[in-house]
Amino acid sequence: MAATIKDIARETGLGLATISSYLNGGNVREKNRIKIREAIEKLDYKINETARGLKTDRTNTIGVIIPELRSTFCAKILSIAEDLLQQRGYAMLITDCRTDKDREKAAVDFLMVKRVDVLLNMPVDETGQHLSPFLEADKPVILLDREIPGISCDMVSVDNYEALYQAAGILTAKGHRRIAMVAGPETNYAARQRRRGFLDACAAAGIAEKDFRIADGRDTIEGGAEAVRTLIRNDPDLTGLVAANNDMTIGMMIGLNEMGIPIPDRISVVGFDNRHFARACRPRLTIVDQPETELAKEMVRLLVKRLTEGNDGVKEKVRLSVHIEGGDSVRDLRG
Amino acid sequence: MAATIKDIARETGLGLATISSYLNGGNVREKNRIKIREAIEKLDYKINETARGLKTDRTNTIGVIIPELRSTFCAKILSIAEDLLQQRGYAMLITDCRTDKDREKAAVDFLMVKRVDVLLNMPVDETGQHLSPFLEADKPVILLDREIPGISCDMVSVDNYEALYQAAGILTAKGHRRIAMVAGPETNYAARQRRRGFLDACAAAGIAEKDFRIADGRDTIEGGAEAVRTLIRNDPDLTGLVAANNDMTIGMMIGLNEMGIPIPDRISVVGFDNRHFARACRPRLTIVDQPETELAKEMVRLLVKRLTEGNDGVKEKVRLSVHIEGGDSVRDLRG
DNA sequence: TTGAAAGCGCTAACAT
DNA sequence: ATGTTAGCGCTTTCAA
């Protein structure tokens, strides 16, 4: 059996409260500090967070629900956040709901039972109904990448409107007048923002409604590939394509490859996310680059704030800018 | 405050033991079952796993330490496993050590404090020294993808030797006689197995030592790209390349793209992992395809076995076969 | 600053 | 089948 504070108390001849005080950074006489430190060393004592959690009603654990652990966007952010949080003693219970509302709901209940202190969620159910157990228990919720209007919580995302506005702008600036967007589903808030960005960029460039297209790529690889096939088949004179998330970018490349369409000679493309993938593509892809590191840092800042300061006070909405990482996948059509 | 079993006891007029028995699938009279069920419903009672954990010294939580959450291989396996485990009420505490031994060691201590029931580890420190806290506490350890000789634990991986034997065989079968492998570091057991597979495939094809090369790609994207640059610069007459993990495959493609080398006309390549990436490449990559789903299932089977049956009994080593997924990146040099 | 004691919510041994 | 009780390891009053 592992050593407990009782063992430390016996070993040092001190009371439990003193040991506990030492463990929690309280005032302990210097010579007792030393005795305790030595006893901990000797007995290889490790604090029992389960017992502490029962007493304090805190687990120092963050519950995470994301749509896909396999998305590089999620994986990168979580991996950065995990590092930062572990340094502070917080653990992450990660749950992957496979972009399924029912699973997301089940995950919320699961994490409630696991007594996590905060919920970090990249929401699938955009009504936010699944969040009610946390909201009712007044446990903090932090939304990642997607807003849900009317829910009292912090949120951190990129500026999705701007992202697609810029991406489409890359094409129009090079003289493209017949362009299409491979978009996420309209049920998704971020995807809607991105659609708006695309539309406004087209409008700003004076492209008529009949000259641009938006196809639903369902935010997935397969959906992206299908959308591209349909787009090209229906509109052979499209000259530019922009994908609105990473999976659809991969799908777009698969679709174009399988149709044998030369990039950028026949079609110019702008992708989303994942610098490594962009560099591995032939030709190298021009992409919208999301600031994952900054997103993760902001997210951790909010997480730690809620963990230490509680759920009171004004909720923050943090929106970060993207930038375009240039490649060779956009042809200049001017002149 | 959330409802406890005391509230349920008061509400139903039953004793604590009866409620506990109900909760743990024991024998309870039918009419009492109903009363309890209704009380749970009414009070919105949720079991407190922290309290239960303190009593039973089990947290129903699996500690996970992987080198990189961002590797698609890890992400895919964990996402499948998470689903299977959640259904059984087990949670995963995921930790990413960034392929760093010191972080891996720190993660072990962290997970010990978090009182996880089992450790699932894709080990970086191939001596296995970092595992000693779990081993000493007689907590089960399950190794993923990499063996550590002499450590008493279960293990599940693909047959790494066979993987590279087959991959190299794809090249030699098409008449390639000057080939190179972008390999992982020799400090890594799986990487060594893969090197052996490559060597034996060359020997079997009668390729002389002077005609093949092995370059260290450090298991990373950047390392893979650098290895390819060096290989091609030093041996311009290489005709075939095989990469020995997914990141190095991406790196290999980046390296070849940036040198502007046509595939497969000038160089044929065989990659590792990630069907989606392979399809998004131009031309479509021939790859070694790992059975992530089966790996995850086997892993979960072992995990659940240890969780329910304890750490006694014979430890299992499970090795699964890979298969080759054909693409258009290998040129036939014969005749 | 330190010690004694109560109690967090649950399980399990024992009694009924 | 059900009730009573002790106790898991810790934190936290309250006294000293």
Side-chain angles (χ1 to χ4, degrees), chain B residues 202-247:
Chain B
C202 287
I207 299 182
E209 282 235 17
K210 65 173 179 50
D211 288 334
F212 65 78
R213 298 281 177 274
I214 297 185
D216 187 353
R218 302 192 311 269
D219 270 345
T220 64
I221 294 179
E222 270 320 316
E226 283 167 29
V228 164
R229 281 182 219 117
T230 310
L231 281 169
I232 305 261
R233 209 177 304 120
N234 295 346
D235 285 280
D237 43 350
L238 283 173
T239 65
L241 241 40
V242 35
N245 83 350
N246 184 234
D247 276 352

Side-chain angles (χ1 to χ4, degrees), chain B residues 10-262:
Chain B
R10 195 178 317 119
E11 180 77 20
T12 56
L14 294 164
L16 292 179
T18 312
I19 317 296
S20 177
S21 175
Y22 170 89
L23 258 16
N24 293 288
N27 279 333
V28 178
R29 216 189 305 259
E30 184 58 20
K31 63 175 180 185
N32 288 334
R33 306 191 82 80
I34 297 170
K35 272 208 280 189
I36 295 173
R37 187 159 41 226
E38 284 170 355
I40 286 179
E41 183 74 18
K42 178 176 168 199
L43 302 180
D44 193 31
Y45 169 79
K46 296 231 176 15
I47 217 164
N48 185 330
E49 288 232 34
T50 306
R52 176 186 271 182
L54 175 59
K55 184 67 192 179
T56 59
D57 200 27
R58 305 182 75 253
T59 53
N60 288 329
T61 301
I62 293 150
V64 179
I65 309 178
I66 49 170
E68 298 288 343
L69 186 53
R70 294 163 60 185
S71 110
T72 52
F73 175 72
C74 292
K76 181 161 183 188
I77 288 185
L78 290 185
S79 124
I80 296 169
E82 191 272 325
D83 184 26
L84 265 19
L85 291 167
Q86 191 186 315
Q87 289 169 20
R88 296 173 165 85
Y90 299 115
M92 278 189 344
L93 227 51
I94 300 179
T95 271
D96 173 348
C97 72
R98 313 288 180 80
T99 317
D100 178 309
K101 282 186 204 179
D102 295 334
R103 287 197 201 207
E104 185 173 52
K105 180 95 199 72
V108 168
D109 292 337
F110 181 74
L111 294 174
M112 279 298 288
V113 170
K114 293 294 178 188
R115 261 32 189 203
V116 299
D117 298 330
V118 203
L119 177 63
L120 176 66
N121 180 211
M122 181 163 159
V124 172
D125 181 352
E126 72 147 359
T127 68
Q129 285 172 12
H130 62 294
L131 300 172
S132 55
F134 276 80
L135 267 12
E136 281 163 20
D138 199 32
K139 290 200 179 200
V141 170
I142 295 181
L143 257 26
L144 172 60
D145 199 45
R146 296 172 189 175
E147 286 179 70
I148 300 182
I151 297 271
S152 168
C153 65
D154 302 298
M155 194 272 325
V156 36
S157 76
V158 297
D159 189 329
N160 289 301
Y161 172 87
E162 185 208 9
L164 260 285
Y165 189 93
Q166 283 192 30
I170 295 284
L171 292 172
T172 58
K174 299 258 180 158
H176 291 261
R177 314 293 302 168
R178 312 234 5 155
I179 66 179
M181 167 182 185
V182 180
E186 295 204 63
T187 51
N188 169 324
Y189 185 86
R192 283 202 303 277
Q193 300 284 64
R194 291 176 190 176
R195 283 172 185 243
R196 281 199 14 239
F198 178 80
L199 289 173
D200 283 2
C202 287
I207 299 182
E209 282 235 17
K210 65 173 179 50
D211 288 334
F212 65 78
R213 298 281 177 274
I214 297 185
D216 187 353
R218 302 192 311 269
D219 270 345
T220 64
I221 294 179
E222 270 320 316
E226 283 167 29
V228 164
R229 281 182 219 117
T230 310
L231 281 169
I232 305 261
R233 209 177 304 120
N234 295 346
D235 285 280
D237 43 350
L238 283 173
T239 65
L241 241 40
V242 35
N245 83 350
N246 184 234
D247 276 352
M248 294 191 292
T249 301
I250 297 173
M252 173 171 75
M253 295 309 288
I254 292 176
L256 291 170
N257 281 350
E258 293 183 350
M259 296 177 92
I261 295 178

Side-chain angles (χ1 to χ4, degrees), chain A residues 10-28:
Chain A
R10 194 177 319 119
E11 180 77 19
T12 57
L14 294 164
L16 294 179
T18 311
I19 317 296
S20 177
S21 175
Y22 170 89
L23 257 17
N24 292 287
N27 278 332
V28 177

